[in-house]
């Protein structure tokens, strides 16, 4: 079974801090709150054609939930959450979590494990071509008149005489779904259900993220093998 079809956790990006190793090294980490991840539905091969766990995170007032969603959550006996997401899992994993069960951080992840974190990047509004696509600007020396930070020619010759679709130009920068792969879980606060992740977690503070087991992590080599 692929690791992409493994159980993950929903969370909220709290912010950044630093932790220290036993040798005194300072490690910058991002704190992700994954507390109270509760199962809202268990999908099985017999009923739905595939095995999955539907999980919700956060808290939302009952008046802010539509009647179909309220009925769906009432059937599972769980409080309404801010986000709901589904994770494809194996049948034996789905059988471990009945509807209404709370998924603990230590039941899914361990310190030292590599994970993929998905979130919505910070929106930066309307940006120019150079900044938006991380291009190199032209020289700012004498003789370069008003062309220091412009993309240059975008058109074609008479044939085809048009700008091809997909041309990298100015536009909205950020506010898109981003996945950062192979980040390290440096530490897990089991009491407060916090993940301390080393690396760049996408999004702003208080933004929602999804944490899954890394699907491209290289296996750890056995040091005892020759």
């Amino acid at each position: 079974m692929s690791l992409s079809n493994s159980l993950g956790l929903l969370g909220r990006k709290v912010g950044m801090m630093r932790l220290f190793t036993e040798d005194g090294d300072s490690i910058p980490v991002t704190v992700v709150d994954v507390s109270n991840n509760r199962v809202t539905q268990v999908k099985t091969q017999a009923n739905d054609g595939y095995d999955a766990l539907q999980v919700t995170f956060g808290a939302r007032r009952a008046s802010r939930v539509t009647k179909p969603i309220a009925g769906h959550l009432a059937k599972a006996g769980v409080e309404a959450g801010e986000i709901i997401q589904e994770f494809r899992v194996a049948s034996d994993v789905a059988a471990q979590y009945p509807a209404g069960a709370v998924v603990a951080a230590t039941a899914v992840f361990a310190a030292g494990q590599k994970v993929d974190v998905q979130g919505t990047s910070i929106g930066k509004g309307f940006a120019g071509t150079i900044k938006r696509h991380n291009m190199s600007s032209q020289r700012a020396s004498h003789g370069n008149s008003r062309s220091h930070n412009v993309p240059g020619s975008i058109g074609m010759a008479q044939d085809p005489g048009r700008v091809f679709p997909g041309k990298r130009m100015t536009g909205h920068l950020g506010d898109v779904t981003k996945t950062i792969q192979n980040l390290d879980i440096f530490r897990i606060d089991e009491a407060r259900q916090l993940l301390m992740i080393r690396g760049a977690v996408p999004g702003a503070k208080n933004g929602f993220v999804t944490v899954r087991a890394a699907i491209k992590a290289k296996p750890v080599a056995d040091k005892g093998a020759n």
Side-chain angles (χ1 to χ4, degrees):
M1 182 178 180
S2 172
L3 288 178
S4 61
N5 293 339
S6 60
L7 181 60
L9 291 177
L10 307 178
R12 179 177 59 88
K13 182 177 177 179
V14 179
M16 291 197 68
M17 60 180 293
R18 63 175 179 170
L19 299 175
F20 293 93
T21 64
E22 295 180 355
D23 298 330
D25 296 330
S26 175
I27 306 297
V29 296
T30 302
V31 181
V32 178
D33 177 15
V34 293
S35 61
N36 202 17
N37 269 259
R38 47 208 184 273
V39 179
T40 58
Q41 185 181 5
V42 180
K43 296 193 175 183
T44 61
Q45 187 74 30
N47 294 334
D48 306 282
Y50 63 98
D51 298 296
L53 289 175
Q54 189 184 86
V55 181
T56 187
F57 169 80
R60 177 174 290 181
R61 291 178 296 173
S63 61
R64 305 299 297 172
V65 180
T66 62
K67 288 185 178 180
I69 297 297
H72 177 70
L73 297 176
K75 184 178 179 180
V78 299
E79 178 189 6
E82 294 178 270
I83 54 174
I84 297 179
Q85 190 162 329
E86 187 177 287
F87 297 95
R88 290 283 191 100
V89 295
S91 57
D92 56 339
V93 176
Q96 299 176 10
Y97 297 97
V102 177
V103 185
T106 52
V108 182
F109 301 115
Q113 181 179 355
K114 289 190 177 296
V115 293
D116 296 337
V117 183
Q118 185 180 78
T120 303
S121 62
I122 298 174
K124 300 181 182 296
F126 192 92
T129 309
I130 304 299
K131 180 177 180 180
R132 188 186 185 199
H133 300 288
N134 196 29
M135 295 179 175
S136 298
S137 60
Q138 300 182 33
R139 294 189 303 172
S141 58
H142 178 72
N144 191 359
S145 177
R146 297 184 299 173
S147 299
H148 311 295
N149 213 40
V150 296
S153 176
I154 63 171
M156 298 288 178
Q158 186 173 356
D159 182 18
R162 63 190 179 93
V163 179
F164 287 139
K167 179 69 176 178
R168 292 186 295 176
M169 298 176 67
T170 59
H172 189 189
L173 175 60
D175 194 24
V176 295
T177 301
K178 288 284 187 180
T179 301
I180 308 299
Q181 298 180 327
N182 294 339
L183 301 181
D184 296 311
I185 296 182
F186 185 76
R187 188 177 300 171
I188 298 178
D189 188 333
E190 188 174 358
R192 293 182 290 181
Q193 292 293 292
L194 300 175
L195 299 179
M196 281 65 166
I197 301 176
R198 182 178 184 179
V201 173
K205 290 183 180 179
N206 296 320
F208 296 116
V209 296
T210 303
V211 186
R212 296 186 180 90
I215 62 174
K216 294 183 180 178
K218 296 181 179 179
V220 178
D222 187 2
K223 296 181 179 180
N226 293 328

